[in-house]
């Protein structure tokens, strides 16, 4: 094979997202996946508005909306299905312009991502191609693989390991997963029903020391249950309908058994783990290759897509000569602490909702209905904004004061039906509460950035004011690079960036 700029190992959501984002910048890539076609089993089922924003960047959100199911939030219920607390989500749109919680079937999403990839001639996807080794060479990495039993290899300038929890890429660079102290075995059940179950349209988290459980509707006729397994139990104990149906009866009620099509009964071990390092020279880890999270806040797949969003534009800038290669160190600096924080939050939520025995159950019954009485707590629980990224070469945060730097700029309406992402289109942007001078405008344009003037009374103007800033430099991934009151200084701080979708 001829050499390629980027080889992506793994054609799951993370790898497909990375390939599409790179393709939008005209970067050629080869995607290698060991499966001939889409992996048929549903795994992830939830995306938040921040990740839906990434689908918007891929040009796929409208198609995703047609295959997804809006979720109203989460209810914490006891073993008798009494509601202890309810956390509602905006089923229409949040601060990023998209629904705050969407449910879906992963194979359908992957089919959509593959369909979108076909729009870009610079990407080649090869299924049935199993990578066997990675070896550094002058100017790149030699990727060796077999396809239909035949050996082949290609020299890549960069390799993105999106090859899942059992990542060969991770092993090849000598990285190991560090355990964050959470392991639980759960039964996962997927059912298709041609009768509406009539349950509340949101996630139900059952807080029961005897059998913690989760229920969610993920489509018009698709439903997912997860039940914590006791010691000695396995999925095999529940494959027969007579054993399984009593578990789901609190939701199915009097629905006839022949109207419930059992699609899958499987066992999963939920873990909290993070790789000790995410990069070795030209090789990077993304998605489950870099981190594994319990599912309690629905951030597993989203974390991998955030990895791709963080790295793709930087790699495009390096490959076109706009950015120095040293900026690639910011990928791990920014993403590893963020992913770790989200995993710890998922672990905390899982522990709070499922553990502690009867005493824990009593505490939940007492405390959960009173959460709204704690000042600011309910707002903090309900907001979908994720933590700010740590300081890096591309996040300029003052050490001792509040700053918007590292946070996501809202995908706010700009004019008419257009939002911020429609205007910036994968470039740097300067969001300013004041009209720049002609020289400042010239400086912004010279650096390849887009100017967005935040008018008084509009979302972005209020956002700047709350952040004690007059202007902000926003990166192509919508993260704030720097913010402050000195527009002239911010204009000169914009990294020159010529890569354009």
């Amino acid at each position: 094979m001829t050499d390629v700029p980027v080889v992506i190992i793994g054609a799951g959501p993370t790898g497909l997202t990375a390939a599409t984002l790179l393709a939008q910048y005209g970067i050629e890539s080869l995607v290698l996946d060991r499966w001939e076609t889409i992996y048929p089993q549903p795994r992830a089922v939830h995306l938040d508005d921040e990740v839906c924003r990434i689908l918007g960047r891929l040009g796929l959100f409208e198609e995703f909306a047609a295959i997804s199911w809006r979720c109203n939030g989460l209810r914490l219920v006891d073993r008798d299905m009494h509601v202890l607390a309810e956390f509602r989500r905006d089923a229409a749109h949040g601060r990023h312009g998209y629904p705050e919680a969407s449910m879906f079937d992963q194979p359908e999403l992957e089919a959509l991502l593959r369909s979108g990839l076909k729009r870009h001639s610079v990407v080649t996807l090869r299924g049935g191609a199993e990578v066997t080794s990675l070896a550094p060479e002058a100017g790149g990495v030699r990727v060796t693989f077999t396809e239909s039993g035949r050996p082949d290899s290609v020299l890549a300038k960069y390799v993105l390991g999106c090859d899942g929890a059992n990542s060969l890429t991770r092993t090849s660079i000598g990285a190991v997963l560090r355990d964050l102290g959470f392991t639980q075995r759960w039964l996962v059940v997927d059912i298709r029903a041609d009768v509406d179950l009539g349950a509340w349209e949101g996630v139900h988290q059952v807080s029961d020391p005897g059998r913690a459980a989760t229920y969610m509707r993920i489509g018009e006729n698709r439903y997912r249950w997860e039940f914590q397994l006791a010691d000695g139990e396995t999925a095999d104990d529940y494959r027969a309908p007579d054993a399984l149906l009593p578990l789901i009866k609190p939701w199915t009620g009097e629905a006839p058994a022949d109207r419930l099509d059992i699609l899958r009964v499987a066992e999963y071990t939920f873990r909290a783990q993070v790789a000790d390092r995410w990069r070795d020279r030209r090789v990077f880890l993304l998605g489950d290759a870099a981190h594994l999270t319990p599912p309690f806040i629905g951030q597993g797949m989203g974390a991998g897509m955030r990895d791709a969003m963080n790295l793709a534009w930087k790699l495009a800038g390096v490959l076109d000569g706009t950015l120095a290669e040293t900026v690639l160190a910011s990928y791990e600096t920014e993403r590893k602490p963020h992913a770790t924080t989200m995993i710890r939050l998922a672990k905390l939520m899982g522990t709070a909702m499922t553990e502690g025995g009867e005493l824990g159950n009593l505490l939940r019954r007492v405390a959960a209905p009173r959460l709204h009485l704690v000042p600011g707590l309910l707002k903090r629980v309900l907001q979908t904004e994720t933590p700010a990224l740590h300081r890096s070469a591309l996040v300029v945060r003052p050490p001792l004061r509040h700053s918007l730097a590292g946070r996501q700029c809202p995908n706010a309406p700009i004019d008419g039906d257009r939002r911020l992402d429609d205007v910036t289109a994968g470039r740097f942007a300067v969001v300013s509460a004041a009209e720049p001078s002609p020289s400042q405008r010239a400086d912004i344009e010279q650096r390849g950035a887009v100017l967005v003037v935040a008018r008084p009374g509009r979302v972005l103007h209020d956002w700047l004011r709350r952040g004690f800033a007059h202007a902000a430099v926003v990166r192509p991934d919508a993260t704030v690079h720097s913010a402050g009151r000195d527009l002239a200084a911010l204009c000169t701080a914009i990294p020159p960036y010529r890569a354009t979708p």
Side-chain angles (χ1 to χ4, degrees):
M1 285 193 64
T2 58
D3 301 347
V4 294
V6 182
V7 165
I8 298 170
I9 305 173
T14 300
L16 294 171
T17 298
T20 306
L21 290 169
L22 288 169
Q24 289 179 341
Y25 288 105
I27 303 299
E28 182 184 358
S29 68
L30 170 65
V31 184
L32 301 173
D33 194 81
R34 66 190 183 96
W35 297 100
E36 287 282 358
T37 57
I38 295 168
Y39 186 74
Q41 299 295 350
R43 289 156 288 171
V45 294
H46 169 269
L47 291 179
D48 65 15
D49 56 336
E50 191 176 297
V51 181
C52 284
R53 186 175 183 177
I54 297 174
L55 289 174
R57 268 291 302 275
L58 301 181
L60 296 173
F61 178 74
E62 293 304 321
E63 293 164 79
F64 173 72
I67 65 168
S68 61
W69 194 260
R70 302 293 170 83
C71 175
N72 288 334
L74 178 143
R75 277 181 175 174
L76 184 63
V77 301
D78 64 16
R79 67 181 70 176
D80 299 316
M81 305 301 290
H82 297 142
V83 178
L84 302 176
E86 182 174 299
F87 308 100
R88 282 195 167 265
R89 296 294 186 204
D90 189 328
H93 53 78
R95 69 192 299 270
H96 296 293
Y98 298 98
E100 290 185 332
S102 296
M103 314 303 290
F104 61 95
D105 176 58
Q106 183 170 338
E108 288 188 279
L109 173 61
E110 291 191 23
L112 183 60
L113 290 168
R114 288 186 181 222
S115 176
L117 201 63
K118 292 178 182 177
R119 303 171 188 171
H120 303 282
S121 60
V122 293
V123 184
T124 301
L125 170 60
R126 293 172 66 168
E130 184 154 9
V131 175
T132 54
S133 68
L134 304 176
E137 289 188 11
V141 180
R142 175 66 58 182
V143 181
T144 303
F145 59 96
T146 60
E147 187 175 12
S148 301
R150 298 188 302 271
D152 203 346
S153 73
V154 62
L155 183 65
K157 289 185 179 179
Y158 294 95
V159 173
L160 308 187
C162 308
D163 46 348
N166 299 314
S167 170
L168 177 136
T169 309
R170 187 178 63 240
T171 301
S172 297
I173 69 172
V176 296
L177 289 173
R178 300 297 189 194
D179 192 76
L180 299 182
F182 186 94
T183 302
Q184 290 185 354
R185 295 185 311 113
W186 284 64
L187 180 74
V188 177
V189 180
D190 287 293
I191 284 181
R192 181 186 293 114
D194 64 358
V195 56
D196 193 321
L197 302 186
W200 180 72
E201 293 288 355
V203 177
H204 301 189
Q205 180 62 52
V206 182
S207 182
D208 178 1
R211 175 82 73 187
T214 307
Y215 157 85
M216 60 209 88
R217 185 175 185 174
I218 64 172
E220 185 174 358
N221 62 356
R222 293 289 306 277
Y223 300 87
R224 160 75 62 90
W225 285 266
E226 297 167 353
F227 299 94
Q228 190 171 5
L229 288 169
D231 292 342
E233 287 186 316
T234 71
D236 290 339
D237 298 329
Y238 294 96
R239 296 197 189 281
D242 288 347
L244 178 64
L245 294 180
L247 281 182
I248 63 175
K249 189 171 179 58
W251 295 272
T252 58
E254 299 305 315
D258 60 1
R259 306 286 292 276
L260 306 174
D261 181 14
I262 301 173
L263 302 176
R264 182 179 66 146
V265 176
E267 179 179 326
Y268 277 80
T269 300
F270 298 154
R271 303 183 189 278
Q273 296 178 324
V274 179
D276 59 347
R277 58 195 182 100
W278 294 23
R279 178 193 183 191
D280 179 21
R281 290 164 288 183
R282 295 174 178 266
V283 180
F284 297 82
L285 302 179
L286 294 80
D288 285 357
H291 43 74
L292 297 172
T293 182
F296 300 106
I297 57 173
Q299 292 293 327
M301 176 187 289
M305 295 176 71
R306 287 187 178 95
D307 293 343
M309 189 70 173
N310 183 285
L311 182 57
W313 69 271
K314 299 172 184 177
L315 204 52
V318 170
L319 286 167
D320 82 349
T322 297
L323 297 176
E325 189 174 29
T326 53
V327 304
L328 296 178
S330 68
Y331 167 65
E332 182 173 342
T333 299
E334 295 171 2
R335 285 296 306 142
K336 185 177 180 181
H338 185 279
T340 302
T341 298
M342 297 299 286
I343 292 169
R344 292 189 187 280
L345 177 59
K347 174 187 170 183
L348 175 64
M349 291 292 286
T351 300
M353 292 189 295
T354 67
E355 296 189 356
E358 291 295 344
L359 177 59
N361 193 49
L362 176 61
L363 291 173
R364 285 185 284 269
R365 291 180 65 90
V366 172
R370 294 167 174 78
L371 290 177
H372 68 283
L373 300 176
V374 181
L377 179 60
L378 196 58
K379 181 180 179 181
R380 178 69 187 92
V381 170
L382 291 176
Q383 69 179 19
T384 60
E385 183 179 8
T386 59
L389 300 184
H390 283 206
R391 295 167 61 193
S392 74
L394 293 168
V395 173
V396 184
R397 292 180 62 186
L400 298 177
R401 63 179 176 83
H402 173 81
S403 174
L404 293 173
R407 300 191 177 279
Q408 288 267 304
C409 179
N411 189 26
I414 302 298
D415 55 68
D417 294 331
R418 296 202 307 168
R419 289 182 176 268
L420 180 72
D421 290 353
D422 302 319
V423 174
T424 59
R427 294 169 288 177
F428 271 87
V430 174
V431 179
S432 174
E435 289 280 355
S437 67
S439 63
Q440 289 167 347
R441 282 180 174 270
D443 204 7
I444 293 169
E445 183 177 343
Q446 181 183 1
R447 292 170 183 270
V450 179
L451 172 65
V452 176
V453 177
R455 306 296 182 188
R458 305 298 294 271
V459 172
L460 288 178
H461 191 279
D462 293 342
W463 171 72
L464 288 171
R465 179 178 51 80
R466 290 194 305 271
F468 306 102
H470 292 164
V473 177
V474 181
R475 309 185 326 186
D477 61 357
T479 300
V480 177
H481 169 277
S482 51
R485 298 176 181 272
D486 188 339
L487 179 57
L490 289 171
C491 288
T492 59
I494 305 168
Y497 190 75
R498 298 297 173 190
T500 54

